[in-house]
Amino acid sequence: MTPPLVSIIVPAFNVERFIAQCLDSLILQDLKKTEIIIVNDGSTDDTWQVAARYAESHDNVRIINQDNQGLSHARNVGMREARGAYLGFVDSDDWVHSSMYRELLATATRTGADLVITNGRLYNDVTKEVKPIQDSKVWSSFRGKDCSHTLDPRREPDLFMLDTSACKRLYKKSFLDLLDFTFMPGKIFEDVPTHYKLLLNTDAVALLDRPHYFYRTDRPGRITAKTDETLFHVFDVMAEVMRDLKTWQADAVIWANYIWFQSWVLRWLRKQIEAVHGRDFDLRCHGMSSGFSAEALSVFRRKFEDDTRAIEFVNHQASNTLAGCLMQASRTAKQKSGTHHLGNDPVGFFNKDSHTYTPDIWGWVCIQYGIKSVLDIGSGIATNLTWFNEYGFDALGVEGHPRAVRGSLLPGKVVLHDFERGPWMPCREFDLCLCTEFAEHVEQRYEENWLVAVDCCKHLLLSAAPPGQRGYHHVNEKPDEYWIARLEARGFEHVPRVSQLLRDTCTRKSASWGRNHLLFFQRKAAEGVVEL
């Protein structure tokens, strides 16, 4: 049997709604000498059944089934099975123009390119709107140049600024074999290191500026829509890119383009990731900047001076004194104690602890009791308060560490006050007071100084270290009974059923701060109390 000219590899996982459109666009290619390799990556819907119908009716379509192992592994399996002299990759929820592989192959054979890159469009699965891909300005910059021959990425460093997708490309298989190339397994954003690795290892890239590839966005279940810690994979793939840039001695212009690119990606993900992971994300951003040379940063600032958002992000990233202090605080806290919160942080910055970040608890209380305004006593850099601010609550914090206030995530919404120097109370009433992991750090003789602030609130969520817990500057550990008596004497009423409900929730979440000593109070005169 005559081997195909092009092998097109289609990884597929739970895309029963979209794979038919994808495969139709490949079956209808003008170039007939193709093979289509579908790698079913452990789909649990009808993806396999849809693909099987195409394999039964078309001789050039075959299916490989495997347990779910991720996109990179599926692509690597497809590469091992490919028989074509050239390879292409298509994501199974996307589709391509009927002339794509004919035109890419013609360009590759005419120029001898190791790699041909084409253009495409973004298709919004919700609005049905079609837009240019984000690298459209880069494509525009090449239109005035002679692109009839191959380009050397080291002489044309803006090639590194093109969209990193592995799909809008045709690869010479012998080029990939020579590099013993595989996709980075077990990570999302795996196209990023691929883009840099291949461009750093070739002097023969061809461009074909046609809208050949249609990339589907905003569909349910897409990998890049995640908001959890999976997004931290971006730092692993960026670290791989930086290792390659150093290994292959990329010049300052290529580095500058990379710095611009990573700023764009990290800004996008910073908005997307759950707030609980925000501080860790910022720390990783700062840590990455330690690999930027002064020369590369200088070139970046000159070249991209008109991109104010990129400049501001990178300047903050590279000189993030807050991040530096946070890392110092983390090291100090770990030396002092196995738990991490503001009270055991002598540097004065909240080392974000997911155990104290429990928006499901806050949200339930706010819905049940009609909360609209929140006062956070001992707010640190306002990590918890950001959740309330994001959802439109009237939020205010009070904090005793000057550097924590200067580094606040909510500038202007945290008041600086040391309760050991005197009382403080807001000039208005709040619906809810948060006072978590704070009371044990203020000596008993100064309790009145912060309790007068609690008096201005209708409801109170309190957690304070019990006797024997121990921790940095734990100078006032008291049992629940002490705080219940103290607050009931001030006109509050402890609500045991709510306290237990919230403690049970903390136990299920392994949230140690509220598991054994979270207490919920309401003012005896409060109205609209919901009975459980």
Side-chain angles (χ1 to χ4, degrees):
M1 180 183 294
T2 304
L5 295 174
V6 176
S7 297
I8 305 170
I9 298 162
V10 184
F13 175 72
N14 287 356
V15 285
E16 62 180 3
R17 287 180 50 210
F18 311 110
I19 192 170
Q21 183 181 13
C22 173
L23 295 177
D24 284 341
S25 73
L26 299 179
I27 294 296
L28 296 173
Q29 285 295 297
D30 293 347
L31 180 67
K32 298 306 178 186
K33 293 183 179 181
T34 64
E35 69 170 348
I36 302 166
I37 303 173
I38 305 165
V39 183
N40 177 38
D41 188 34
S43 295
T44 57
D45 63 1
D46 287 339
T47 295
W48 182 87
Q49 289 85 339
V50 175
R53 291 197 290 270
Y54 283 83
E56 290 170 1
S57 56
H58 297 88
D59 293 338
N60 66 331
V61 178
R62 56 192 171 114
I63 304 175
I64 300 170
N65 285 305
Q66 65 174 32
D67 294 336
N68 181 246
Q69 298 180 69
L71 177 60
S72 289
H73 189 276
R75 285 177 174 172
N76 291 338
V77 168
M79 282 197 295
R80 289 197 298 268
E81 295 292 324
R83 297 180 296 119
Y86 290 87
L87 302 183
F89 300 93
V90 176
D91 287 345
S92 49
D93 56 342
D94 301 336
W95 73 96
V96 302
H97 192 278
S98 60
S99 67
M100 175 169 164
Y101 284 103
R102 175 178 56 80
E103 294 189 33
L104 285 173
L105 182 63
T107 302
T109 53
R110 185 185 76 250
T111 62
D114 293 325
L115 175 65
V116 184
I117 304 175
T118 190
N119 209 335
R121 295 290 183 267
L122 300 175
Y123 171 79
N124 188 297
D125 195 54
V126 176
T127 66
K128 314 305 178 186
E129 186 178 8
V130 178
K131 290 183 177 180
I133 295 176
Q134 59 272 5
D135 62 354
S136 58
K137 289 185 178 179
V138 184
W139 279 101
S140 298
S141 71
F142 280 103
R143 287 178 192 138
K145 298 179 180 180
D146 181 10
C147 294
S148 59
H149 303 286
T150 59
L151 302 173
D152 183 345
R154 292 181 183 269
R155 297 185 180 215
E156 296 288 350
D158 282 1
L159 286 170
F160 289 90
M161 296 176 63
L162 289 170
D163 176 51
T164 60
S165 170
C167 295
K168 302 193 305 296
R169 306 177 180 213
L170 187 70
Y171 306 83
K172 186 184 289 183
K173 190 172 186 295
S174 60
F175 167 59
L176 299 183
D177 290 343
L178 183 65
L179 296 176
D180 195 23
F181 170 77
T182 58
F183 287 91
M184 188 177 184
K187 304 291 181 183
I188 63 174
F189 312 112
E190 67 288 323
D191 287 353
V192 175
T194 295
H195 173 72
Y196 282 87
K197 189 180 296 290
L198 297 184
L199 291 186
L200 287 168
N201 282 278
T202 183
D203 59 1
V205 176
L207 298 182
L208 184 59
D209 188 9
R210 303 273 200 280
H212 278 133
Y213 195 92
F214 292 86
Y215 180 78
R216 192 185 306 269
T217 66
D218 287 358
R219 75 164 178 88
R222 63 191 177 93
I223 295 173
T224 53
K226 291 179 178 291
T227 62
D228 61 14
E229 289 175 291
T230 307
L231 297 184
F232 280 80
H233 286 192
V234 72
F235 297 107
D236 297 327
V237 301
M238 293 292 188
E240 178 77 6
V241 171
M242 293 174 70
R243 282 192 291 271
D244 283 341
L245 291 174
K246 291 174 182 176
T247 299
W248 298 103
Q249 299 179 335
D251 65 24
V253 178
I254 295 175
W255 269 98
N257 288 345
Y258 163 75
I259 292 171
W260 174 85
F261 169 75
Q262 63 91 39
S263 77
W264 175 77
V265 173
L266 296 179
R267 278 181 285 145
W268 159 46
L269 296 179
R270 183 61 177 86
K271 294 178 181 178
Q272 184 171 308
I273 198 166
E274 295 166 353
V276 65
H277 303 302
R279 285 289 82 195
D280 281 350
F281 194 91
D282 292 343
L283 287 174
R284 294 290 296 273
C285 288
H286 173 66
M288 214 172 70
S289 71
S290 63
F292 304 160
S293 69
E295 181 184 11
L297 285 169
S298 178
V299 173
F300 161 76
R301 290 175 179 126
R302 289 198 306 271
K303 181 173 182 179
F304 298 97
E305 61 181 352
D306 292 335
D307 190 340
T308 55
R309 286 186 295 178
I311 293 290
E312 289 174 1
F313 179 88
V314 173
N315 285 344
H316 178 72
Q317 177 189 14
S319 60
N320 190 347
T321 55
L322 170 59
C325 290
L326 278 167
M327 285 189 281
Q328 179 185 350
S330 176
R331 288 192 294 269
T332 305
K334 287 177 181 177
Q335 292 170 0
K336 295 285 184 181
S337 169
T339 59
H340 302 149
H341 53 78
L342 181 62
N344 61 22
D345 174 11
V347 178
F349 285 92
F350 183 87
N351 181 29
K352 188 276 300 173
D353 179 357
S354 59
H355 293 328
T356 69
Y357 189 93
T358 49
D360 49 350
I361 285 177
W362 305 329
W364 185 89
V365 169
C366 290
I367 291 172
Q368 296 297 316
Y369 291 92
I371 304 300
K372 298 185 183 304
S373 56
V374 178
L375 174 66
D376 188 354
I377 297 178
S379 60
I381 60 169
T383 304
N384 293 351
L385 213 57
T386 56
W387 181 87
F388 291 94
N389 185 70
E390 180 181 354
Y391 285 93
F393 290 85
D394 177 9
L396 181 70
V398 56
E399 170 55 44
H401 285 289
R403 280 181 291 179
V405 175
R406 289 198 298 270
S408 174
L409 299 175
L410 295 176
K413 291 197 174 184
V414 177
V415 175
L416 174 63
H417 183 78
D418 183 349
F419 287 106
E420 293 191 353
R421 296 190 177 184
W424 177 88
M425 60 186 301
C427 58
R428 57 192 173 93
E429 187 177 69
F430 285 84
D431 294 328
L432 175 66
C433 177
L434 290 181
C435 188
T436 56
E437 304 295 274
F438 164 79
E440 64 268 26
H441 303 290
V442 180
E443 292 183 36
Q444 184 174 354
R445 56 181 169 154
Y446 299 124
E447 280 178 3
E448 185 66 22
N449 292 344
W450 63 269
L451 285 171
V452 294
V454 177
D455 289 341
C456 297
C457 303
K458 296 178 181 178
H459 306 87
L460 168 65
L461 267 176
L462 171 73
S463 71
Q469 177 175 298
R470 295 187 299 276
Y472 177 78
H473 203 257
H474 278 206
V475 294
N476 192 22
E477 293 181 346
K478 293 289 193 295
D480 291 350
E481 293 76 15
Y482 174 86
W483 295 114
I484 291 172
R486 194 86 164 84
L487 287 155
E488 288 189 342
R490 307 183 74 87
F492 283 89
E493 177 185 6
H494 177 227
V495 188
R497 285 172 293 178
V498 176
S499 295
Q500 190 59 54
L501 175 67
L502 300 182
R503 289 185 184 196
D504 290 344
T505 301
C506 288
T507 299
R508 290 195 300 272
K509 294 173 62 65
S510 297
S512 58
W513 70 279
R515 188 183 308 152
N516 299 317
H517 50 275
L518 189 151
L519 299 169
F520 180 76
F521 297 86
Q522 63 188 24
R523 291 199 66 84
K524 292 178 181 177
E527 297 179 356
V529 176
V530 176
E531 291 293 336
L532 297 179

